[in-house]
Amino acid sequence: MHSVIVGSGPAAAAAVLALESDIAHQITVVDIGERLDEPAAAAVARLAGEPPERWDTGDRELISAQPAKLADAALPEKRTFGSDYPFADRGQQRGLAVPSGGNTAPVSGALGGFSNVWGAQLMPFSPATFTRWPFGWSEIEPHYRAVLGEVPLAGEDDDYARAIPLLEPRAPLPPVAARSRAVLARYARHRAAINAAGTIVGKARLAFAAADCVRCGLCMTGCPYELIYSARHTIDRFVRSGRVKYLDRILVTSVEQPPDGSPSVHGTDLGTGRQVTVDADRVFLAAGGLGTTRIVLNSLTRRPQRLDLNESMQFLVPFVSRRNTGDPRAEDAFTLNQVNLLLEFDDEAYTTSQIHLYPYNPAFADALPRMLPRALHRAVLGRVTAGLGYLPSWESPELRLEVGPPREAGLPDVAIRRVSDERPPMLRAVLRRLAKLGPKLDLHPVLPMVRRSGPGKSYHFGGTFAHGSGSDLLGRVGDWPDVHLLDGSVLPSIPSTTFTFTVMAKAHRIATEAGHG
């Protein structure tokens, strides 16, 4: 059995995990495979071999570039080890039109995909989510646990587990910042009133090896010790062992499967420009919600002209606190998300809004007004928290894909359009609740500074070929019995809680069941 996986992000890594134990499976990953440039990679290797106090200043500066500001964007674009390679266009974004302020780089060509720059939040969807899906929590829970056999989980048993199962954390978080400690202490003091208002506060759950963290402060720009999980780790490990064959520098543009025949993958060799075909017994498409969608649209003989696109809308809420917890730049804290707020709008944790709280990272200081005297930075930074929030897809602005004609070489033109109000009513309800909670948590939202991210900016999108409508439960569309869609393209809905863990669990379920079929 020869299984070909297109892409190398989290869904692809989960498929490898599902298939690799069966020695009858030959596994090939076909990918664009963009990597960190050699000077930066060499600097990372040097830093990884030394404790932070012995790091070369030049190496540290090279690999710790802060996120870059983009026109029309509420949030800057992240960098990993000083590079924008996860966002580089090698043909996978060409022909994709987005509205003003939308995500111009929603498909990654990097080995590991956007897991090279993600926030590492690792949380399943609530069990209530699956009561609306064509399969239930009991069917996906074993696959969440299987993913945790590969991906480290740092998390703690707290009130969050009432709504979102904890599953199997490997370690507690490292010590959190003073601002985070203050929020948690005030929550403990006012828990009953805050819970009665439909809100839960808990520590973050993160995909990183917390027990080995040295708190060097570079979490948001790339951990030199590779403690934050990336799908690249899984793919590289199995390529090194010889279990996976890796074909890079290939832009996949279509798939096909003739009646009574086997499937094949077609693409362009980015080095030579020649057309490439890879034959398979099964094909698993894991090129991301929009990447996979465009490959499928280029391949179907009867294809839609329009598709609905679901997104969990993202928004940024700055908070200020009355109490100053001191200059955070003097703390040895990790800079990933530390505390979350879950705002519930029903009794089953189905319709929720989740807010990730970031007490400090160096980008905060860069964002302060230039006219603010540097002597006042301590007073300001000791009171500031950034909240990155999400709404569920069914309460977010509606999006649609308008599809151009197929192409023999390259991917079809696709335009993302807004088809509903970009100011959803639920966002107003969320902000009102945050304002009421402000005095209890000493987190006061600065409402005039709330910013909505443009379409696709959350990276939590998909549903173009959702299970039960656009695809079957094994992610199959059209007349291809042995071609399976694995990623966000088949999600029936997208809650406000974190995205990647469910994408991996669902991909593991499909690859496991298809591989044994």
Side-chain angles (χ1 to χ4, degrees):
M1 173 71 72
H2 181 203
S3 293
V4 170
I5 301 170
V6 176
S8 63
V16 169
L17 294 173
L19 299 174
E20 61 85 20
S21 61
D22 184 351
I23 60 173
H25 264 96
Q26 177 188 349
I27 306 170
T28 299
V29 172
V30 182
D31 192 31
I32 293 174
E34 196 75 8
R35 288 181 180 264
L36 184 65
D37 63 85
E38 183 53 38
V44 171
R46 288 191 294 269
L47 296 179
E50 300 283 355
E53 61 270 18
R54 295 178 59 183
W55 282 354
D56 178 81
T57 301
D59 283 344
R60 179 174 180 135
E61 290 178 352
L62 176 64
I63 65 102
S64 59
Q66 293 302 312
K69 295 179 181 179
L70 301 180
D72 296 327
L75 294 174
E77 186 178 83
K78 287 183 71 175
R79 295 291 179 259
T80 182
F81 301 124
S83 173
D84 66 349
Y85 79 94
F87 305 96
D89 184 12
R90 298 295 179 254
Q92 81 279 6
Q93 297 169 14
R94 215 159 296 154
L96 182 61
V98 300
S100 176
N103 189 352
T104 58
V107 185
S108 180
L111 172 60
F114 289 126
S115 68
N116 291 292
V117 287
W118 70 320
Q121 291 95 351
L122 200 71
M123 190 178 296
F125 291 170
S126 70
T129 301
F130 299 96
T131 64
R132 280 79 167 178
W133 283 25
F135 55 86
W137 171 261
S138 63
E139 294 169 88
I140 197 167
E141 181 185 6
H143 302 285
Y144 278 126
R145 294 184 182 278
V147 169
L148 291 178
E150 173 77 3
V151 180
L153 172 59
E156 300 177 32
D157 190 4
D158 55 24
D159 285 357
Y160 240 79
R162 300 196 322 239
I164 311 294
L166 182 59
L167 297 172
E168 298 178 6
R170 299 290 187 271
L173 295 178
V176 298
R179 168 57 47 210
S180 298
R181 295 196 301 272
V183 170
L184 292 169
R186 292 185 70 90
Y187 173 64
R189 194 179 314 155
H190 300 287
R191 176 184 282 113
I194 292 172
N195 289 169
T199 300
I200 296 172
V201 180
K203 284 189 176 181
R205 301 178 193 170
L206 302 172
F208 89 120
D212 297 324
C213 180
V214 298
R215 299 191 290 283
C216 65
L218 299 186
C219 308
M220 300 298 289
T221 54
C223 174
Y225 300 110
E226 297 284 4
L227 301 181
I228 300 171
Y229 176 77
S230 166
R232 168 174 49 85
H233 300 161
T234 299
I235 302 297
D236 269 345
R237 180 163 68 87
F238 285 109
V239 170
R240 287 194 302 268
S241 73
R243 187 67 188 88
V244 169
K245 181 179 181 181
Y246 185 64
L247 304 179
D248 63 350
R249 313 306 297 168
I250 296 175
L251 172 66
V252 172
T253 54
S254 65
V255 296
E256 68 172 340
Q257 182 170 13
D260 302 320
S262 297
S264 56
V265 169
H266 305 284
T268 301
D269 185 313
L270 296 176
T272 66
R274 295 177 180 174
Q275 297 305 295
V276 175
T277 295
V278 182
D279 295 323
D281 296 304
R282 287 196 187 278
V283 171
F284 296 97
L285 294 179
L290 280 172
T292 287
T293 295
R294 294 180 78 196
I295 293 169
V296 171
L297 289 172
N298 213 36
S299 308
L300 290 170
T301 54
R302 296 188 300 275
R303 63 195 186 89
Q305 299 303 302
R306 294 180 180 82
L307 286 171
D308 291 332
L309 178 68
N310 296 327
E311 180 179 22
S312 171
M313 176 184 162
Q314 182 189 71
F315 54 96
L316 175 66
V317 185
F319 293 91
V320 295
S321 299
R322 295 182 184 276
R323 180 174 176 269
N324 189 335
T325 54
D327 191 340
R329 293 170 297 183
E331 295 186 71
D332 291 326
F334 71 105
T335 55
L336 293 170
N337 167 224
Q338 297 185 2
V339 176
N340 293 325
L341 310 180
L342 188 71
L343 282 60
E344 299 176 292
F345 289 84
D346 54 38
D347 294 329
E348 52 179 348
Y350 174 65
T351 297
T352 65
S353 177
Q354 179 159 262
I355 319 290
H356 304 297
L357 300 182
Y358 293 81
Y360 173 75
N361 72 68
F364 283 23
D366 293 344
L368 292 177
R370 293 186 182 276
M371 71 285 298
L372 185 69
R374 188 166 294 276
L376 294 180
H377 283 199
R378 178 184 181 278
V380 173
L381 293 174
R383 302 175 188 271
V384 174
T385 301
L388 197 57
Y390 297 86
L391 302 182
S393 60
W394 54 94
E395 296 286 350
S396 298
E398 296 178 26
L399 303 175
R400 180 174 297 154
L401 300 185
E402 296 181 357
V403 185
R407 294 182 175 179
E408 291 186 12
L411 293 161
D413 291 344
V414 171
I416 301 175
R417 306 294 187 202
R418 290 191 183 99
V419 294
S420 71
D421 185 359
E422 61 183 275
R423 300 180 180 180
M426 185 176 173
L427 179 58
R428 294 193 290 273
V430 167
L431 297 178
R432 285 195 300 269
R433 188 180 298 184
L434 291 176
K436 290 181 180 179
L437 289 170
K440 291 183 174 62
L441 293 173
D442 193 21
L443 280 176
H444 302 271
V446 186
L447 298 181
M449 295 183 66
V450 172
R451 296 291 182 267
R452 301 179 304 275
S453 296
K457 281 289 186 179
S458 74
Y459 294 94
H460 297 187
F461 52 73
T464 48
F465 295 101
H467 291 309
S469 54
S471 68
D472 70 7
L473 295 189
L474 293 182
R476 294 177 293 200
V477 301
D479 299 320
W480 309 322
D482 300 311
V483 177
H484 306 267
L485 282 57
L486 295 183
D487 47 44
S489 60
V490 292
L491 290 177
S493 61
I494 305 173
S496 70
T497 46
T498 59
F499 179 78
T500 301
F501 196 11
T502 297
V503 167
M504 293 186 76
K506 178 190 51 58
H508 190 276
R509 182 191 66 82
I510 293 172
T512 298
E513 296 183 12
H516 294 162

